[in-house]
Amino acid sequence: MSDTIIERSAGAAAISAKALSIALALEVEIADCVWDIGADLTHEHAHRLELVTAAKSVRVYFRELELTTAGNASRSKRIDERLQRAIAQLQQRAPAPTYGYN
């Protein structure tokens, strides 16, 4: 197994752990984290993480560099922000009323 594959796996695991941590803080129960590690590493969205809850799912895309250097501070901050936005979409919200009383 090459070092890049090991780094990619470690990066994917770190990002999954971070997603679960953010979800816990937002009170979102993630049922599954499914990675699709792409083969075309030149593609902007080479790797996809699907976060699945009982009711819905959301996909988050990552570049090769984000997986192989997930520990980089500035890159880590951008990954965290992207995960927070994605997980916020999974939060269960009560439907807004379509009418109001005055």
Side-chain angles (χ1 to χ4, degrees):
M1 196 183 286
S2 78
D3 289 345
T4 303
I5 292 170
I6 293 168
E7 288 174 21
R8 195 179 299 138
S9 297
I15 291 170
S16 293
K18 188 64 174 176
L20 293 172
S21 171
I22 292 169
L24 187 63
L26 294 175
E27 297 180 358
V28 173
E29 192 173 329
I30 301 285
D32 205 2
C33 293
V34 182
W35 277 97
D36 178 8
I37 304 293
D40 180 7
L41 305 182
T42 60
H43 192 269
E44 181 178 350
H45 304 296
H47 312 297
R48 181 182 74 222
L49 170 61
E50 190 164 2
L51 300 171
V52 182
T53 68
K56 40 182 156 170
S57 67
V58 65
R59 289 179 177 168
V60 190
Y61 295 88
F62 297 93
R63 293 177 173 180
E64 171 70 2
L65 205 54
E66 291 173 317
L67 254 64
T68 56
T69 60
N72 174 289
S74 64
R75 201 165 285 122
S76 181
K77 184 177 185 295
R78 285 196 304 271
I79 290 170
D80 290 358
E81 289 168 355
R82 196 170 334 140
L83 289 172
Q84 285 176 345
R85 285 193 303 271
I87 292 166
Q89 294 176 36
L90 295 172
Q91 286 180 303
Q92 294 292 343
R93 292 185 181 85
T98 53
Y99 57 87
Y101 295 104
N102 291 329

